[in-house]
Amino acid sequence: MKLKEIERTAAQAWSPANNHPIYLATGTSAQQLDASFSTNATLEIFEVDFRDPSLDLKQKGTLPASNRFHKLIWGNFGNGSPESSGVIIGGGDNGVLTMYSVHRILASKSEPVIGQTEKHSGPVRALDFNPFQSNLLASGANDSEIFIWDLNNFSVPMTPGAKSQPHEDISVVSWNRQVQHILSSAHPSGKAVVWDLRKNEPIIKVSDHSNRMHCSGMAWHPEVATQLVLSSEDDRLPVIQIWDLRFATSPLSQLEGHTRGVLSVSWCQADPELLLSSAKDNRILCWNPNMGEVVYELPIRSQWCFDVQWCPRNPSVFSAATFDGWINIYSVMGGNLEAQQKTQADKISSSFNNLDPFGTGQILPPLQVPEQVAQTTLIPPLKKPPKWIRRPVGVSFAFGGKLITFGLTKAPGQQMQQTYPHQVFISQVTTETEFLLRSRELQMALQSGNLLDYCQGKIQTAKLPFDENLWNFLKVNLEQESRSKLLKLLGYSKEDLQKKITSCLSNGIPDKQPLPEANETNAAQPDQLLINSSDAVAAVSSSAFFDNLIPQNISTLEIPVTEDTDGLISQALLLGNFESAVELCMQAERFADAIILAIAGGENLLRETQKHYFAKQKTKLSVLLSSIVQQKWQDIVCTCNLQSWKEALAILLTYSKHEDYTQLCDMLGARLESEGDAGLSNDACLCYISSGNVERLVECWVKNHETSSPLALQDLIEKVMVLNRSIEMLQGTAGPAPGPVLAERITQYASLLASQGCLAAAMDYLPRSSKELLIEQLRDRLFHAQGANVGDQQPPPFPYTRVNVGVIKHTSPAAKGGSAPEGAASKTGPRHPEKPNYQSSFAPSAPSQPSVPSLFTPQPVPAMSMTPHHVTPPQASTGPQTGVYSRGSPYPQYNLGLVPAAISGQAVSQSQPFGPSGVRPVGPAPFPSQPSLPGQSMPMTSSGVPPPGPTVFTPASVPSSQLPAACPLPVASQSPLGFSSAPFNCPMNMGYPQGGPGAPSTKPLPAASIPPPPTAAQESWTDPSAIRGGLQKKKKTRRKLEDALQRLECLYEKLREQALSPAILMGLHEIARCVEARNYQQGLLVHTQVVSSSSFSEVSGFMPILKVLMTIAGKLNV
Amino acid sequence: LPPQVSVINTVDTSHEDMIHDAQMDYYGTRLATCSSDRSVKIFDVRNGGQILIADLRGHEGPVWQVAWAHPMYGNILASCSYDRKVIVWKEENGTWEKTYEYTGHDSSVNSVCWAPHDYGLILACGSSDGAISLLSYTGDGQWEVKKISNAHTIGCNAVSWAPAVVPGSLIEQPSGQKPNYIKRFASGGCDNLVKIWKEEDGQWKEEQKLEAHSDWVRDVAWAPSIGLPTSTIASCSQDGRVFIWTCDDASGNSWSPKLLHKFNDVVWHVSWSITANILAVSGGDNKVTLWKESVDGLWACISDVNKGQGGVSAITEGQQNEQ
């Protein structure tokens, strides 16, 4: 395929291989005249620019020359200087050798000729630069004259030795491509002489003695030092001979294809298997000299091509100079000739138009140009793929940080007969080592459930105070009594405050309350005392303190009925007119009296009175008081000075109901965040942590922190995962599906893990419930990428719409595919499309709870029917399951093996006294500070409700209340089994925002349906509310019981964490049985045994309170 | 801590001649290789295994490249060869067969690359005849061909698609609405150019001509999108240079090159990691190097993989400063 053309009758020379851009130099040919008979000579330099699709060459420099050229050659000499492009040497008539500076020609500078000599006696037809030393030039002329020139000293040449006899022209000189001191010369007589310049003599003469060789061309093998080719111009022997000097008696082989004498050969330096030749048969052929076959024939035939040359830099390109006055540049890679071919004949003719050089008035007859071969549009490329197109090495990345490499294992240079390695290497690339380290730490912490230590470590290593603070918040979220601990973090400790108040009171300055929490101190105090006491005795004695407060000294009663305020109030009271009495008090600014009366007058009156009071009183504190008493938490959040956000958060922590808490915290966070201040945004993060709003935390975080680097992302994910876990522990279920911002980060994180080869870990992080497309796509990819490691798991749904390619042969979509992953998919069992999460959410969590079986085995079969349902591993796909599902259980993830009998009313009634209480959940917890307010929210205070019987069991509550028995013990993991831990938070003043994050899944549940504890032991211990039923009037005992609930939480926590030894568990079960049998004496005995046989630290958190409970229960005989 | 590159599987392909390409499928569970022995082979390499699944014969010349289609189209592999053909192979019931053969090129087809799956099943093919063909599957066994003639004079060596994700948005498109993707791909050729092509009104137009190389561009690799607005292309050349081209503006007009390194030998391949933060470079010096951009925008060699040993050696200052 022709690439470029220029109309010149000229000798040609390519710029050297290292030159960029590529140039072609032309110098007017000697011994050829055009019709002008001009003898002028020009040296031109053209840029060969393949970016330009046109056939034109761009002339970059031109220079009139003193002589026409037999030979041109371009060398690297002087290329050390940056502006040099080497030198062009021209061999002319009369023995003239001229050296041109390419740079000067290109820059049109003066004195482009930098050297000239006339040492040769005749026309210089042969020139070659030494490939190793750019200053060495060989030239050959008439009379066997060969000179070696040092361009640094152009005046005095050397000779390679004595002239060979008989004297004849030198057609070609050529330096060996491997050995720098070896030169050869070729002679028209057909012989070639090889010179060793070190010995200064010819070392071998090559001749086939046929006497018909007429050497027109010669070339050394580009890689094999001992081989060369000679071409014969003789029409009787139009061959190319390949010689090996090691067997120099006859040619190694002979390339026969041309029908007339060969004019020129050129051996491709980039591929020794490609040798070009041009001949008088007008053909240009490319040979594979090894195979002796023609691998390419230029489809265009024109005039004789007297010189053919591979382009040194662009290996698929060569130039051909023809006697008809054109230099063409072709590619051997084939292509399409359409619209590219210019009709040369027209051009040639046109160059003679109106040309009448002799002034004869006669126009020259048309030149007989040989007919061109009929154009074929398709030109095939070289039959043999050229070496330069064969990629010998390669690398590619694949999913999961895999790197695929292949290729040469030998050093380049050992080219011949190379055997190619057939291995392909798959490597694992891990680049983010620190990231992986930290990621593993996080995973271990998440799997072991030991997040407190993890947080502690983070707190200790935190570099920024903010970071430390954040980790403190996260840690506290994982702990019991998180609310009070959060308060401490905010700088408000109940204990400290109590001390302050105590000292304040004892000093007799009951003047000002330093802190808003003062209001609740009285209520909080006994709690604190209870909490701090380590045994039941202390608890009892502290309660006595309150009992002592109640009795008061009452003097003789006098009832004034005067007309003054006192009297009017008395009269109003006598008539039961509280409203008026309060009004009177208010008017008289006797606020205390007013409030006391209002309490007696009922709820509405009290509220009205409070309102009036706050309307009248305008002090610094009054707004706070008003908001707190009227429970206007939203006002506080919306109006507080943002600098006081901590105080606002403290109020929320102290007062707000669980269902409001989250929202209020988020509102506060949003206010802080909207300020746009980085510091406040950080504080907003703390609010979101307090509320457990993961998505908002992430949204806020990414606004102020970059998360693109692996470690920065790790920073964020650590926090998210810990917060998520605390929510899971709280709710017992996996949190809500992540929102888009978090999903994006998690996907990013999982992708990053995957890119480091941690496929399983990446899979673990992807939220199972998420329907985000990106997550589903990544999950699909991770699943299949793990190959057989995934075991029996079912593949996730394919997150793309399948497209069938090819003519559809099978109608059934199931029949198609059959790839390995899909095949694996088809092997697995039928799917449950309505609950796609079940399998995946259960199975992966199994390994993380290895102790489950051991916890089960020691559990004795309960004698009492309290837990008639056995612990059944959830594999069995039994009938009742479907029954459960059809009920529309809000927990579709549960697929646990329920024993149908367990739902029988009989079982429930048997357990009546301690049956799961329907009223349990909404305890006094949310209102620790308002025990005296009419507590509608405290069901057990409303009446002496007997322990709830079967009627309390609504159908909805049945499945869930039965669940725990079928569950393994709760573990701290994402497992749905963790759900069972949820109810324990409810009755307690645990401080967890119970309606908090993930509320969507739990809110719609009626309180009664929250599942009870998972084991018989727990079942029994959650029953103080039942005991409470008959005790509501006895505040002392009630407080004890409230405290007991908190203490029990400690027990539940331990059960959840599986932190208890089997011996203790056995003991607990035993105690539970005793309690169920109301045999408290026996229970206390067992209790003593357990305490005495266990380590104190293990049981101190909950055993004392069990004793207290049993003691109380025994006394009350419930 | 240094990065680690450890060989986890050595697949003996039993190819009888030079291997020219080896590509893993979307999931990284199957390896396709091709060779001058005219065959394409597929191995199951899950869990360190190497089970020959298919030995595909159909090309009549060296097979230069293979490319896996996205799995949503089934198990589809494209191969291109010196025999001027492009073959699309498909697995049907465990058997791999030719599903389409394209013979529209006049010279060696050097590169094949599937478009992002979002566009449909489209294959770009670059040939030594200078043209680039775009083969689009139109359904029921039919393919539509668009051809860019004379894309690169003397030949096109590599094609690589731009990721489909619109920069800056990882959020799912509203369902049912087919987003209006701007389709682009890059190509590199024997004219030393990297070109960027853009589809406008169904026609492919040359959008950019990136000039920096002084010799054949051997490979181009458009970096996967990681949600940043920057587009990145790596190109490597016969001249030993590897350039990283970046474009920050959405219009795609201002590309600027940064020299990653000048090697002493031809650089044959560049490949981005899936997360686009590591560039693997394979050169004629028989070395594979991994490069990573530092925070200050400088590219540093993070490891130097010796094939067959998988060893990693620290890069010395001298090597890094070679450029």
Side-chain angles (χ1 to χ4, degrees):
Chain A
M1 177 173 157
K2 190 195 279 187
L3 303 169
K4 302 285 175 192
E5 62 178 18
I6 185 88
E7 191 179 4
R8 291 290 184 280
T9 306
Q12 56 173 353
W14 286 101
S15 54
N18 55 355
N19 250 52
H20 173 74
I22 299 172
Y23 293 113
L24 185 72
T26 63
T28 314
S29 261
Q31 290 190 322
Q32 290 178 59
L33 286 178
D34 63 18
S36 71
F37 291 97
S38 161
T39 52
N40 293 338
T42 313
L43 180 66
E44 289 171 289
I45 297 177
F46 297 93
E47 183 184 343
V48 184
D49 182 4
F50 295 115
R51 295 168 299 182
D52 170 15
S54 82
L55 286 173
D56 301 327
L57 288 168
K58 295 173 202 159
Q59 194 194 61
K60 291 291 180 180
T62 180
L63 183 75
S66 52
N67 293 87
R68 292 193 157 204
F69 299 97
H70 286 277
K71 176 78 178 172
L72 269 189
I73 189 166
W74 193 327
N76 275 324
F77 177 66
N79 250 357
S81 66
E83 59 178 19
S84 170
S85 303
V87 293
I88 292 172
I89 307 283
D93 283 331
N94 308 320
V96 178
L97 262 184
T98 315
M99 176 159 62
Y100 302 91
S101 157
V102 174
H103 171 66
R104 287 178 174 275
I105 298 172
L106 290 174
S108 305
K109 284 193 179 173
S110 59
E111 296 176 20
V113 176
I114 52 175
Q116 196 160 43
T117 171
E118 295 182 21
K119 293 277 180 198
H120 277 296
S121 52
V124 183
R125 294 194 179 87
L127 289 171
D128 196 24
F129 271 111
N130 186 297
F132 300 94
Q133 281 183 268
S134 64
N135 60 321
L136 287 185
L137 174 77
S139 64
N142 286 352
D143 296 332
S144 299
E145 208 170 57
I146 299 173
F147 289 136
I148 312 294
W149 307 86
D150 179 353
L151 298 191
N152 293 312
N153 183 10
F154 201 35
S155 52
V156 187
M158 301 163 282
T159 58
K163 284 184 181 177
S164 58
Q165 297 291 338
H167 289 192
E168 56 177 331
D169 290 352
I170 305 284
S171 323
V172 190
V173 287
S174 179
W175 295 96
N176 189 286
R177 314 314 291 180
Q178 307 296 320
V179 186
Q180 59 173 322
H181 53 87
I182 299 292
L183 177 78
S184 68
S185 59
H187 306 264
S189 64
K191 73 172 182 235
V193 181
V194 179
W195 309 82
D196 185 338
L197 296 195
R198 287 185 312 186
K199 295 176 179 164
N200 223 25
E201 62 179 31
I203 51 170
I204 198 165
K205 287 179 186 171
V206 172
S207 172
D208 77 339
H209 310 294
S210 71
N211 290 327
R212 284 187 294 169
M213 276 292 284
H214 180 90
C215 276
S216 54
M218 176 189 64
W220 285 101
H221 193 290
E223 288 167 3
V224 182
T226 54
Q227 290 188 6
L228 55 79
V229 294
L230 294 171
S231 64
S232 169
E233 199 179 343
D234 195 315
D235 289 347
R236 295 165 300 168
L237 189 68
V239 297
I240 300 164
Q241 291 180 337
I242 301 168
W243 289 84
D244 193 308
L245 302 184
R246 292 168 292 186
F247 317 101
T249 48
S250 63
L252 209 58
S253 64
Q254 196 156 278
L255 306 177
E256 297 169 23
H258 285 293
T259 53
R260 295 186 65 193
V262 180
L263 293 169
S264 162
V265 288
S266 177
W267 208 325
C268 179
Q269 298 301 305
D271 185 350
E273 294 191 324
L274 296 176
L275 179 74
L276 274 175
S277 64
S278 66
K280 291 187 271 187
D281 57 6
N282 296 333
R283 293 159 78 198
I284 295 175
L285 300 178
C286 185
W287 306 81
N288 179 346
N290 289 342
M291 312 297 289
E293 64 168 350
V294 175
V295 292
Y296 183 76
E297 176 169 0
L298 191 74
I300 304 153
R301 295 192 191 175
S302 52
Q303 268 278 24
W304 290 4
C305 167
F306 61 88
D307 186 26
V308 61
Q309 284 185 32
W310 288 104
C311 171
R313 186 172 182 87
N314 196 328
S316 64
V317 168
F318 69 91
S319 63
T322 52
F323 281 122
D324 61 5
W326 286 84
I327 292 175
N328 293 309
I329 296 173
Y330 300 99
S331 153
V332 290
M333 292 309 291
N336 202 305
L337 276 183
E338 273 174 311
Q340 212 195 36
Q341 192 75 19
K342 290 182 189 171
T343 50
Q344 291 193 11
D346 287 353
K347 278 204 166 181
I348 294 163
S349 301
S350 70
S351 68
F352 287 90
N353 271 356
N354 306 317
L355 189 66
D356 185 8
F358 308 106
T360 58
Q362 287 187 328
I363 291 173
L364 285 169
L367 187 66
Q368 290 301 314
V369 179
E371 283 256 322
Q372 293 193 359
V373 169
Q375 277 183 21
T376 48
T377 50
L378 174 68
I379 307 164
L382 290 169
K383 258 190 232 167
K384 180 204 95 90
K387 190 178 157 193
W388 62 78
I389 204 177
R390 306 173 74 199
R391 304 179 178 108
V393 294
V395 64
S396 67
F397 265 110
F399 184 65
K402 306 267 193 309
L403 188 72
I404 320 301
T405 54
F406 60 89
L408 299 167
T409 49
K410 288 181 185 173
Q414 303 170 270
Q415 302 290 358
M416 291 303 290
Q417 305 304 317
Q418 192 161 16
T419 53
Y420 295 103
H422 26 78
Q423 286 112 351
V424 172
F425 302 99
I426 304 174
S427 305
Q428 181 69 55
V429 178
T430 50
T431 51
E432 307 295 338
T433 33
E434 192 188 344
F435 165 79
L436 283 176
L437 215 64
R438 283 181 55 187
S439 170
R440 259 175 226 133
E441 279 170 15
L442 174 62
Q443 261 169 279
M444 278 168 65
L446 287 170
Q447 272 165 15
S448 70
N450 198 355
L451 287 171
L452 288 176
D453 285 355
Y454 182 74
C455 291
Q456 192 57 46
K458 286 286 168 191
I459 291 165
Q460 276 157 7
T461 55
K463 291 192 181 85
L464 300 170
F466 160 64
D467 220 31
E468 188 182 337
N469 213 6
L470 220 135
W471 279 110
N472 269 314
F473 269 67
L474 286 167
K475 184 183 170 211
V476 159
N477 254 5
L478 291 161
E479 292 174 299
Q480 301 168 48
E481 298 155 33
S482 63
R483 278 198 176 194
S484 64
K485 285 181 180 164
L486 280 171
L487 281 171
K488 257 186 219 167
L489 282 179
L490 290 169
Y492 299 100
S493 148
K494 289 184 181 179
E495 288 88 344
D496 290 354
L497 180 64
Q498 185 56 41
K499 277 179 206 152
K500 284 186 207 165
I501 291 172
T502 312
S503 88
C504 173
L505 289 173
S506 62
N507 292 341
I509 318 161
D511 190 8
K512 285 183 178 174
Q513 305 285 17
L515 289 168
E517 276 72 15
N519 277 5
E520 61 153 13
T521 10
N522 284 340
Q525 183 195 30
D527 282 357
Q528 284 317 123
L529 287 171
L530 275 174
I531 286 161
N532 293 336
S533 62
S534 60
D535 60 26
V537 181
V540 170
S541 68
S542 67
S543 298
F545 166 75
F546 266 87
D547 293 339
N548 294 337
L549 284 180
I550 298 164
Q552 283 165 18
N553 295 325
I554 298 160
S555 56
T556 325
L557 179 64
E558 283 178 33
I559 302 170
V561 287
T562 48
E563 292 305 305
D564 60 2
T565 311
D566 272 5
L568 286 174
I569 292 171
S570 302
Q571 289 173 46
L573 287 176
L574 290 177
L575 294 173
N577 190 344
F578 288 100
E579 290 83 354
S580 303
V582 167
E583 215 172 315
L584 287 164
C585 292
M586 290 298 285
Q587 199 182 21
E589 304 210 334
R590 293 165 63 172
F591 296 123
D593 288 347
I595 300 291
I596 286 172
L597 287 175
I599 292 170
E603 204 183 312
N604 286 337
L605 182 58
L606 179 61
R607 213 173 292 137
E608 284 299 305
T609 314
Q610 284 172 346
K611 213 185 278 173
H612 280 127
Y613 170 77
F614 290 125
K616 281 198 154 189
Q617 287 293 96
K618 294 289 177 200
T619 66
K620 267 188 181 176
L621 261 186
S622 61
V623 178
L624 179 62
L625 291 179
S626 128
S627 297
I628 288 172
V629 172
Q630 299 182 35
Q631 304 180 26
K632 291 180 176 168
W633 318 126
Q634 196 168 336
D635 289 359
I636 293 175
V637 166
C638 294
T639 57
C640 71
N641 182 335
L642 284 181
Q643 297 310 322
S644 313
W645 71 271
K646 280 188 180 177
E647 287 68 32
L649 185 57
I651 290 169
L652 298 181
L653 282 165
T654 307
Y655 295 110
S656 68
K657 293 182 203 166
H658 298 295
E659 53 268 36
D660 300 334
Y661 173 79
T662 309
Q663 203 192 348
L664 292 167
C665 277
D666 288 350
M667 282 170 69
L668 185 58
R671 271 195 72 201
L672 289 164
E673 199 182 336
S674 65
E675 285 299 296
D677 173 71
L680 289 178
S681 285
N682 287 342
D683 296 335
C685 287
L686 296 178
C687 289
Y688 296 138
I689 289 174
S690 305
S691 75
N693 194 332
V694 183
E695 180 71 8
R696 293 291 292 274
L697 170 67
V698 176
E699 278 176 33
C700 183
W701 180 274
V702 300
K703 269 188 218 165
N704 294 291
H705 302 78
E706 68 97 20
T707 55
S708 54
S709 82
L711 289 177
L713 190 59
Q714 174 71 25
D715 273 345
L716 173 63
I717 295 298
E718 281 169 359
K719 285 154 192 138
V720 164
M721 293 317 288
V722 170
L723 182 57
N724 233 5
R725 175 56 57 84
S726 69
I727 295 162
E728 278 166 12
M729 284 165 61
L730 176 69
Q731 291 176 223
T733 56
V741 182
L742 177 57
E744 187 185 324
R745 292 311 184 287
I746 288 191
T747 313
Q748 206 182 330
Y749 187 69
S751 301
L752 191 57
L753 279 173
S755 78
Q756 304 295 310
C758 303
L759 302 181
M763 190 92 167
D764 278 348
Y765 278 103
L766 290 182
R768 290 180 174 79
S769 51
S770 174
K771 291 282 174 264
E772 288 279 330
L773 187 61
L774 279 174
I775 292 183
E776 290 200 317
Q777 290 173 350
L778 188 56
R779 185 186 299 125
D780 166 74
R781 202 169 186 181
L782 285 168
F783 178 89
H784 292 296
Q786 289 176 76
N789 283 339
V790 194
D792 299 332
Q793 278 187 61
Q794 294 189 359
F798 189 66
Y800 302 91
T801 315
R802 291 190 192 275
V803 174
N804 186 52
V805 176
V807 183
I808 298 159
K809 293 172 191 166
H810 307 276
T811 45
S812 160
K816 86 180 179 82
S819 72
E822 282 175 3
S826 63
K827 265 182 268 168
T828 49
R831 303 268 313 274
H832 300 274
E834 74 277 12
K835 37 181 201 304
N837 291 328
Y838 164 61
Q839 282 285 355
S840 61
S841 60
F842 175 72
S845 63
S848 67
Q849 19 172 302
S851 53
V852 166
S854 69
L855 272 175
F856 276 118
T857 29
Q859 183 183 11
V861 177
M864 300 298 292
S865 57
M866 176 59 217
T867 54
H869 29 276
H870 262 295
V871 174
T872 313
Q875 295 93 325
S877 216
T878 55
Q881 275 183 27
T882 28
V884 172
Y885 289 123
S886 62
R887 266 175 228 260
S889 159
Y891 306 108
Q893 285 149 313
Y894 275 88
N895 190 10
L896 306 168
L898 287 180
V899 179
I903 315 174
S904 74
Q906 197 186 8
V908 175
S909 63
Q910 270 181 314
S911 63
Q912 203 180 44
F914 295 94
S917 164
V919 296
R920 183 192 321 125
V922 194
F927 309 106
S929 65
Q930 311 169 348
S932 59
L933 285 177
Q936 316 91 304
S937 59
M938 299 182 209
M940 68 284 192
T941 62
S942 57
S943 67
V945 181
T951 48
V952 179
F953 269 102
T954 62
S957 72
V958 172
S960 52
S961 68
Q962 297 292 345
L963 281 173
C967 290
L969 281 172
V971 289
S973 79
Q974 314 94 311
S975 157
L977 305 174
F979 187 90
S980 49
S981 63
F984 308 119
N985 298 319
C986 300
M988 262 48 82
N989 184 13
M990 247 297 285
Y992 283 106
Q994 286 144 13
S1001 65
T1002 52
K1003 264 185 183 162
L1005 271 180
S1009 71
I1010 292 176
T1015 68
Q1018 289 187 351
E1019 192 82 26
S1020 304
W1021 295 122
T1022 48
D1023 278 338
S1025 63
I1027 305 171
R1028 278 187 313 209
L1031 299 175
Q1032 88 282 11
K1033 284 173 189 163
K1034 304 210 171 183
K1035 288 184 179 173
K1036 179 176 96 179
T1037 317
R1038 206 182 83 206
R1039 286 201 190 93
K1040 271 189 206 168
L1041 289 172
E1042 282 166 18
D1043 174 55
L1045 288 169
Q1046 282 185 312
R1047 296 312 190 87
L1048 284 174
E1049 181 55 30
C1050 169
L1051 169 60
Y1052 303 142
E1053 185 67 35
K1054 294 227 156 132
L1055 287 170
R1056 273 196 294 273
E1057 291 173 1
Q1058 306 179 12
L1060 295 176
S1061 67
I1064 296 174
L1065 280 175
M1066 289 289 282
L1068 288 173
H1069 284 299
E1070 195 58 39
I1071 294 171
R1073 271 202 294 279
C1074 294
V1075 169
E1076 281 159 21
R1078 300 191 211 176
N1079 187 350
Y1080 300 116
Q1081 287 307 316
Q1082 179 62 28
L1084 284 167
L1085 280 174
V1086 178
H1087 181 273
T1088 313
Q1089 280 170 18
V1090 172
V1091 171
S1092 58
S1093 65
S1094 309
S1095 78
F1096 178 73
S1097 62
E1098 201 176 357
V1099 298
S1100 63
F1102 52 89
M1103 285 313 265
I1105 203 67
L1106 294 186
K1107 192 173 177 183
V1108 174
L1109 281 174
M1110 282 190 285
T1111 312
I1112 294 171
K1115 274 187 203 157
L1116 297 171
N1117 199 20
V1118 291
Chain B
L1 288 167
Q4 295 186 338
V5 181
S6 41
V7 173
I8 54 172
N9 197 351
T10 302
V11 180
D12 187 349
T13 63
S14 299
H15 275 301
E16 290 156 14
D17 203 339
M18 194 186 277
I19 298 170
H20 297 301
D21 200 13
Q23 296 285 336
M24 289 265 233
D25 69 351
Y26 174 81
Y27 295 112
T29 56
R30 279 174 302 182
L31 177 75
T33 61
C34 60
S35 156
S36 268
D37 70 5
R38 306 181 170 194
S39 71
V40 172
K41 295 188 182 189
I42 300 172
F43 298 87
D44 181 340
V45 292
R46 280 182 297 172
N47 307 116
Q50 40 181 298
I51 304 156
L52 180 68
I53 299 174
D55 183 351
L56 306 177
R57 305 280 169 162
H59 282 296
E60 297 158 71
V63 189
W64 300 134
Q65 270 191 5
V66 285
W68 289 95
H70 191 275
M72 71 180 278
Y73 300 102
N75 295 307
I76 301 271
L77 184 75
S79 61
C80 63
S81 161
Y82 191 74
D83 68 1
R84 294 174 275 160
K85 287 194 288 199
V86 174
I87 296 180
V88 178
W89 310 87
K90 185 189 182 211
E91 189 213 50
E92 193 86 50
N93 301 323
T95 312
W96 283 86
E97 279 170 7
K98 203 185 283 186
T99 185
Y100 178 59
E101 182 173 296
Y102 174 67
T103 54
H105 280 293
D106 301 326
S107 186
S108 172
V109 186
N110 303 318
S111 183
V112 282
C113 183
W114 292 105
H117 64 86
D118 320 65
Y119 304 165
L121 192 61
I122 307 178
L123 186 71
C125 321
S127 165
S128 285
D129 66 7
I132 295 170
S133 294
L134 292 133
L135 317 177
S136 307
Y137 182 68
T138 54
D140 199 25
Q142 299 302 304
W143 294 74
E144 180 194 270
V145 179
K146 281 179 189 164
K147 197 161 173 182
I148 307 170
S149 295
N150 215 16
H152 292 276
T153 312
I154 332 177
C156 172
N157 294 326
V159 283
S160 176
W161 287 85
V165 177
V166 182
S169 87
L170 278 174
I171 295 146
E172 196 185 340
Q173 297 277 349
S175 56
Q177 242 173 287
K178 197 147 194 190
N180 219 357
Y181 293 111
I182 299 168
K183 296 175 196 165
R184 285 193 175 96
F185 69 86
S187 62
C190 301
D191 53 6
N192 311 347
L193 293 174
V194 172
K195 288 186 178 182
I196 295 172
W197 306 86
K198 182 184 175 188
E199 194 189 45
E200 279 172 18
D201 308 320
Q203 296 301 309
W204 285 95
K205 293 187 176 146
E206 182 184 306
E207 187 183 40
Q208 286 291 312
K209 216 183 258 183
L210 309 183
E211 299 187 39
H213 287 293
S214 61
D215 209 333
W216 288 13
V217 177
R218 287 293 188 176
D219 199 8
V220 287
W222 203 310
S225 167
I226 47 163
L228 298 176
T230 309
S231 300
T232 307
I233 296 173
S235 64
C236 64
S237 162
Q238 186 74 26
D239 66 12
R241 292 185 177 88
V242 175
F243 280 101
I244 307 292
W245 305 84
T246 51
C247 173
D248 293 325
D249 69 319
S251 58
N253 289 325
S254 55
W255 289 85
S256 55
K258 186 182 277 180
L259 181 66
L260 177 105
H261 190 63
K262 161 92 170 68
F263 295 84
N264 290 327
D265 207 333
V266 48
V267 183
W268 289 95
H269 268 295
V270 281
S271 176
W272 290 100
S273 65
I274 305 288
T275 42
N277 58 341
I278 313 251
L279 183 73
V281 176
S282 168
D285 58 0
N286 201 20
K287 272 185 191 161
V288 171
T289 47
L290 301 182
W291 299 77
K292 196 176 176 207
E293 192 180 16
S294 62
V295 195
D296 48 2
L298 294 173
W299 286 88
C301 181
I302 56 166
S303 89
D304 186 345
V305 186
N306 295 315
K307 271 192 288 291
Q309 293 141 41
V312 180
S313 57
I315 286 289
T316 63
E317 273 311 296
Q319 277 172 291
Q320 280 199 29
N321 293 337
E322 256 171 36
Q323 65 191 56

